[in-house]
Amino acid sequence: MHGESPPAPPLPPATATAAPVGKLTDQFKRGLDAPICLTWELTYACNLQCVHCLSSSGRRDPRELTAAECMRVVDELQRMQVFYVNIGGGEPTVRPDFWDLLDYSVGHQVGVKFSTNGVRLDAAAARRLAGTDYVDVQISIDGATAEVNDAVRGAGSFATARRAMDNLAEAGFGPFKISVVITRHNVSQLDRLKEIADSYGAQLRITRLRPSGRGADSWDQLHPTAGQQRQLYDWLIQRPDVLTGDSFFHLSAFGAALPGLNLCGAGRVVCLIDPVGDVYACPFVLHDEFKAGNVRDAGGFTRVWRESELFAELRRPQSGGACASCDMFDACQGGCMAAKFFTGLPLDGPDPECVKGHGERALATVCLPDRPRAAPGHSRRPVFVQLGRTAARAS
């Protein structure tokens, strides 16, 4: 049904060697025959230049998958029983064949949940979506006011997103989602963001800022402070209806676990297909070290998911490394692989935002030039971060 998330797929057998059935999370760690959460970036083209864009989007890549190639991928996903995909970009709706691909996917029993800044969601598009089943829409803002949002996403972007929300509401679409990347400048606006969502009958979804793509250059200025991490945890514990996409499992080390799997699903239940068909372990590690293959290769996406050496390695039992002796390791599982990698920390080390302070101490030993860098990306022009005065007013 439109406006609602499609149901999760049935759990296929684990791809690893057969083992006794244990906890659900144990099965996920061994990997499944099909991803539960598949993100597909249709294009790098985007009308915005968000300073934290994980894919450094802006310009279209001339090598991006054609409509026919995309449809072949959808056919594969249908055979694999992948029940829905998270479509993003770039801005997916600026791709001329976006609506054709959406209709094709839905028509082949692969539901679509797409993220948009709202630029193409006029009244007609909203009515079209309201009449389409198996589609969920997620509109992105990064502040409850234009001042805070536009400092990150660009001038006029807040007004554009609000118009799109108005159009969906007026069309009777149903409970769409409002997606927010949490930064140190919008933590103080959490209640107001929830009020915006409630005013539309929408669902608030907040996600973690990762130092990926352009986020690598803005992470030091944008990521929440230690005190704000605690504030965010307390706020989430009291609001289990707020979605997080399992972004904040590192915060579970504060005490009670947040709702979700509380583990890194990269290459196990999660992966990403980028606009040119490359498959990565998760949406936040667009780096050659975490590239598993390409959907254009022999065997397509199915072979990459089930047979790639990278994914096989990620599905093997992992040691806790430096975190194994910590009494909270079972709660946080060592944190986010992408956050560690792009801040120069070892993958078996602490999360850079470890609530026990281990990550902060580890970061002090990392030289900035030694941090891994992603490919140049598709930015249209240099993106400068000037947030100091905005932060002072927003906090």
Side-chain angles (χ1 to χ4, degrees):
M1 293 182 289
H2 65 259
E4 297 180 3
S5 299
L11 298 179
T15 58
T17 304
V21 176
K23 294 188 302 182
L24 193 61
T25 53
D26 292 335
Q27 296 181 50
F28 288 166
K29 288 178 182 178
R30 295 195 301 271
L32 305 176
D33 272 355
I36 288 177
C37 184
L38 169 61
T39 296
W40 187 355
E41 296 181 345
L42 286 183
T43 184
Y44 284 121
C46 190
N47 56 303
L48 300 182
Q49 285 275 98
C50 302
V51 300
H52 55 21
C53 179
L54 62 91
S55 58
S56 297
S57 287
R59 293 176 290 107
R60 175 186 175 273
D61 193 307
R63 302 169 299 156
E64 73 181 25
L65 298 176
T66 65
E69 289 175 316
C70 289
M71 290 175 183
R72 284 197 291 271
V73 173
V74 171
D75 293 340
E76 278 195 81
L77 301 181
Q78 182 184 25
R79 291 192 294 270
M80 295 175 74
Q81 293 188 298
V82 174
F83 281 79
Y84 80 98
V85 291
N86 297 297
I87 297 294
E91 170 52 45
T93 63
V94 303
R95 184 167 163 147
D97 54 11
F98 169 77
W99 296 102
D100 294 334
L101 294 175
L102 183 147
D103 290 341
Y104 187 87
S105 185
V106 171
H108 287 73
Q109 294 81 49
V110 180
V112 172
K113 178 188 296 185
F114 73 93
S115 298
T116 176
N117 59 47
V119 66
R120 295 289 174 87
L121 272 190
D122 58 16
R127 288 193 297 269
R128 179 173 182 168
L129 288 168
T132 306
D133 288 335
Y134 222 21
V135 173
D136 195 10
V137 182
Q138 186 168 276
I139 298 178
S140 299
I141 57 174
D142 290 326
T145 59
E147 180 184 34
V148 173
N149 174 88
D150 290 6
V152 173
R153 301 185 63 83
S157 58
F158 186 76
T160 297
R162 292 301 299 266
R163 278 195 301 271
M165 295 177 200
D166 291 342
N167 290 335
L168 286 175
E170 290 171 8
F173 175 81
F176 58 88
K177 292 178 175 61
I178 297 175
S179 182
V180 179
V181 176
I182 294 300
T183 71
R184 68 182 59 176
H185 308 310
N186 63 24
V187 169
S188 63
Q189 295 188 325
L190 283 168
D191 286 336
R192 295 170 70 181
L193 288 162
K194 184 69 165 62
E195 290 169 2
I196 291 173
D198 290 345
S199 72
Y200 288 105
Q203 193 162 22
L204 181 63
R205 181 180 187 270
I206 66 172
T207 61
R208 184 180 178 186
L209 174 72
R210 266 81 168 197
S212 310
R214 288 197 291 269
D217 296 321
S218 58
W219 189 80
D220 289 330
Q221 299 100 319
L222 289 180
H223 79 93
T225 65
Q228 290 175 326
Q229 298 270 7
R230 180 72 207 212
Q231 179 185 346
L232 173 61
Y233 170 79
D234 291 339
W235 192 86
L236 286 171
I237 283 290
Q238 296 170 22
R239 294 166 181 82
D241 59 319
V242 174
L243 302 177
T244 65
D246 231 15
S247 289
F248 299 102
F249 59 90
H250 69 294
L251 298 182
S252 293
F254 276 126
L258 294 170
L261 295 177
N262 283 317
L263 62 83
C264 174
R268 298 159 167 175
V269 297
V270 173
C271 73
L272 171 132
I273 302 174
D274 84 349
V276 301
D278 286 333
V279 181
Y280 294 88
C282 96
F284 309 110
V285 285
L286 302 187
H287 189 279
D288 284 347
E289 189 163 332
F290 298 98
K291 184 164 65 176
N294 189 287
V295 300
R296 287 170 166 148
D297 297 339
F301 174 75
T302 307
R303 184 172 183 181
V304 175
W305 177 260
R306 294 177 178 172
E307 300 181 23
S308 80
E309 293 182 9
L310 171 66
F311 288 173
E313 174 61 28
L314 290 172
R315 292 164 188 168
R316 295 187 184 104
Q318 308 289 317
S319 73
C323 294
S325 61
C326 178
D327 59 355
M328 297 308 297
F329 176 72
D330 288 342
C332 76
Q333 296 290 308
C336 173
M337 179 176 74
K340 289 186 273 192
F341 180 76
F342 283 114
T343 53
L345 298 181
L347 298 186
D348 63 353
D351 188 289
E353 294 180 309
C354 168
V355 303
K356 297 293 186 181
H358 302 310
E360 187 175 359
R361 289 188 288 273
L363 282 175
T365 68
V366 177
C367 294
L368 189 61
D370 293 338
R371 291 183 181 179
R373 301 291 298 182
H378 297 78
S379 300
R380 291 189 302 273
R381 60 187 182 277
V383 177
F384 301 99
V385 183
Q386 295 180 334
L387 295 167
R389 294 178 63 191
T390 299
R393 289 194 295 266
S395 58

